[in-house]
Amino acid sequence: MASRAIRMDVTSNKPHDNAPRINSVMAEIRKRISARILAPGAKLPSVRAFAKTMLVSTSTVVEAYERLMAEGTIHSRPGSGFYVAAALAPLSLAEIGPKLDRAVDPFWVSRLALDGQDGMIKPGCGWMPPSWMPEETIRRAMRSVARAEPDLLTDYGTPLGLLPLRKLLSRRLSENGVHAAPEHIMLTDSGTQAIDLLCRFLLEPGQTVLVDDPCYFNFHALLRAHRVKIIGLPYTPSGPDVALFEQALSEHQPRLYITNSAIHNPTGAVLSPVIAHRVLTLAERAGLTIIEDDIFADFEDQKAPRLAAFDGLNRVVQIGSFSKTLSASVRCGYIAAPQRWIEPLTDLKIATNFSGNQLCEAVVLAALKDGSYRRHIEAVKVRLSRARLETEARLRGLGITPWIEPQSGIFLWCSLPDGVDAAAVARHALLKNVVLAPGNIFSQSYTASTHMRFNVSHCDDPKLTKVLSEAIDRTRTTP
């Protein structure tokens, strides 16, 4: 009789009809374990409390817990409750946050673009084609480094990074109004590693981080890994919505805000001085730290305001890298931060990466000192300007409308025709060997289902227009 009671939901007289509810309870517990919300040895919620949370009967939770015990995920302690088993499930970033169609998962575009087969068209990726990159400059830099002293080629590097490159970066940053002495700069293996180190340094699990909505999708993925609460702020052509920014500061007491100022990803927008001043005033009042990702700085035709320049590296930290303009294979980025942060950040880098990547740093230094790099950048800016105009004209012919006309950069953020879902278009295009970037991978609120980001440097293949046209037509006629 007791066994029958366990297998009957109080909302129904039919035995075994609560299997979906049992599965949902089990899935929620597994999700919490995968996300490290429930660590090994942690006590599970009581049967009664979890039944109330999941809106199911206590018998459903009892059955779910029994099945989780049978598979070894949890165990019971008589008179005490249920506990997570000692073996820790591998961290699954896909289990953190809502379950999404893979076409709107933040890893979807990255996996396809990085692992894509030969002949794949990649207007959804975030970097330029190899043919647009300064191959000869890189080759000369590598030949120069190959003649260096043996210790540069074989030994560990200083965690801060090569001093000559930090001095060069200090001069380059000053061109954008950011005054950072070499001792305020630490080199990293990439822009992503720079943000990861700062998140490790600044955040605790459960704290709140503000991001733009839309924003670079890997911000979402990285913040998931740090198990923080993410709040998206609507982005305007001049910067974040200041009224909602102020409201979020009041309601959520965030620890951090991550943004682009110069060329915003994915919109191509530029922060205005007025909004920059307002954001910094609010951040100062709320004790908020800001990470400013300036990875697209070299693409600018006209210098935009930098939060780090207005702030003087007080509560704004700037990061960047050379993967978009020089080489994605030569991994090198940087952090420009208050001097008081550099020593603890260096300790953290030693703990997680041990040393600097001086071989890559030396290649970047040699390339940046080569006069051909600046000529390459000037040529790329002209080429991008032409590509934006040509891509915009082709997209408008399909009823795809840019949100704004960016001053510079590689992206167009566009609205699709009425009634067309971007994820459905992306799924169809993938069948034709085309990788697109549907809007909701950039949106924390998932309100960009009719938007798409296009990388204009990958949009010159005539096949793209044909595939987009077919996908739009099919989406319109498919329920």
Side-chain angles (χ1 to χ4, degrees):
M1 190 68 180
S3 174
R4 179 176 175 78
I6 287 175
R7 297 181 184 278
M8 290 195 56
D9 191 275
V10 294
T11 62
S12 173
N13 293 322
K14 298 178 181 179
H16 309 296
D17 71 345
N18 62 341
R21 297 186 183 92
I22 294 170
N23 291 336
S24 68
V25 172
M26 295 174 68
E28 178 62 24
I29 293 296
R30 293 192 191 103
K31 174 183 173 181
R32 295 187 182 192
I33 294 172
S34 293
R36 306 301 202 264
I37 296 171
L38 289 172
K43 186 176 182 179
L44 271 64
S46 71
V47 169
R48 188 176 300 278
F50 206 50
K52 189 173 183 180
T53 298
M54 297 294 292
L55 301 178
V56 297
S57 69
T58 55
S59 61
T60 297
V61 176
V62 168
E63 177 67 8
Y65 281 9
E66 287 184 351
R67 294 186 186 184
L68 289 168
M69 281 196 297
E71 67 182 33
T73 301
I74 66 174
H75 62 87
S76 67
R77 297 178 188 172
S80 178
F82 297 89
Y83 293 80
V84 178
L88 181 63
L91 176 64
S92 174
L93 296 182
E95 292 296 328
I96 304 174
K99 299 297 285 184
L100 300 173
D101 184 308
R102 284 300 287 172
V104 291
D105 186 298
F107 300 102
W108 192 79
V109 171
S110 295
R111 287 190 183 210
L112 291 171
L114 290 170
D115 297 333
Q117 53 191 299
D118 291 341
M120 182 171 274
I121 305 173
K122 303 175 182 180
C125 79
W127 54 88
M128 297 189 298
S131 61
W132 286 52
M133 302 300 274
E135 178 186 336
E136 286 306 314
T137 299
I138 298 166
R139 290 186 184 279
R140 279 196 298 272
M142 293 176 69
R143 287 195 293 268
S144 173
V145 171
R147 296 190 293 269
E149 295 297 322
D151 60 340
L152 188 144
L153 300 176
T154 62
D155 205 355
Y156 287 110
T158 168
L160 269 181
L162 286 178
L163 179 58
L165 180 54
R166 288 188 285 122
K167 287 181 176 179
L168 179 58
L169 283 174
S170 178
R171 294 194 295 272
R172 285 169 54 89
L173 288 171
S174 68
E175 296 174 4
N176 296 327
V178 179
H179 299 291
E183 57 267 25
H184 294 183
I185 299 171
M186 183 175 76
L187 303 183
T188 62
D189 284 355
S190 65
T192 299
Q193 190 199 35
I195 297 178
D196 182 51
L197 282 171
L198 288 165
C199 286
R200 291 172 185 265
F201 178 62
L202 294 168
L203 297 174
E204 296 289 342
Q207 290 184 319
T208 299
V209 177
L210 304 181
V211 297
D212 301 321
D213 194 342
C215 75
Y216 172 42
F217 52 77
N218 210 43
F219 289 169
H220 297 158
L222 182 58
L223 290 170
R224 283 187 190 182
H226 287 278
R227 304 188 295 283
V228 297
K229 180 181 179 182
I230 309 170
I231 301 294
L233 300 171
Y235 207 76
T236 77
S238 301
D241 185 306
V242 174
L244 293 178
F245 187 89
E246 184 172 14
Q247 181 180 330
L249 293 179
S250 175
E251 291 182 359
H252 301 287
Q253 291 80 51
R255 178 71 177 90
L256 191 63
Y257 170 45
I258 305 180
T259 188
N260 309 111
S261 291
I263 301 175
H264 185 258
N265 182 6
T267 67
V270 174
L271 183 70
S272 76
V274 172
I275 290 185
H277 180 266
R278 185 63 178 148
V279 165
L280 288 173
T281 300
L282 293 170
E284 179 71 29
R285 186 186 306 163
L288 179 75
T289 298
I290 300 174
I291 297 177
E292 182 177 51
D293 182 353
D294 203 25
I295 195 170
F296 298 107
D298 281 356
F299 290 142
E300 285 181 295
D301 291 316
Q302 296 180 343
K303 296 301 181 184
R306 261 53 171 197
L307 292 170
F310 290 144
D311 174 72
L313 291 180
N314 178 30
R315 61 177 58 260
V316 178
V317 186
Q318 190 175 100
I319 69 101
S321 83
F322 303 95
S323 60
K324 311 304 182 188
T325 58
L326 181 62
S327 171
S329 293
V330 182
R331 308 296 286 160
C332 184
Y334 69 86
I335 297 171
Q339 188 171 11
R340 66 185 183 277
W341 288 12
I342 295 299
E343 184 174 346
L345 279 170
T346 302
D347 291 344
L348 186 58
K349 184 178 177 183
I350 292 171
T352 58
N353 208 51
F354 194 67
S355 76
N357 187 344
Q358 64 177 358
L359 197 56
C360 285
E361 294 164 7
V363 171
V364 169
L365 176 63
L368 294 181
K369 290 169 64 178
D370 189 324
S372 67
Y373 177 75
R374 286 193 178 272
R375 293 193 296 273
H376 155 71
I377 289 298
E378 292 305 314
V380 163
K381 288 193 289 188
V382 171
R383 194 173 182 182
L384 283 173
S385 179
R386 182 169 59 248
R388 282 195 305 274
L389 293 174
E390 293 173 352
T391 301
E392 181 180 339
R394 285 192 290 269
L395 294 177
R396 286 188 185 277
L398 298 172
I400 301 173
T401 308
W403 182 62
I404 62 169
E405 296 184 7
Q407 299 175 15
S408 51
I410 64 176
F411 298 130
L412 288 174
W413 178 245
C414 298
S415 299
L416 299 181
D418 290 344
V420 176
D421 179 74
V425 170
R427 285 192 296 270
H428 174 81
L430 185 59
L431 298 176
K432 305 295 183 178
N433 219 23
V434 175
V435 178
L436 297 174
N440 270 350
I441 67 171
F442 305 92
S443 175
Q444 179 64 20
S445 61
Y446 308 110
T447 54
S449 62
T450 61
H451 286 72
M452 188 166 282
R453 188 193 74 179
F454 292 92
N455 180 339
V456 300
S457 66
H458 285 269
C459 289
D460 58 347
D461 193 317
K463 177 183 175 181
L464 175 61
T465 303
K466 182 174 184 293
V467 169
L468 282 171
S469 179
E470 291 174 353
I472 290 170
D473 290 342
R474 175 164 297 192
T475 301
R476 279 176 170 155
T477 59
T478 302

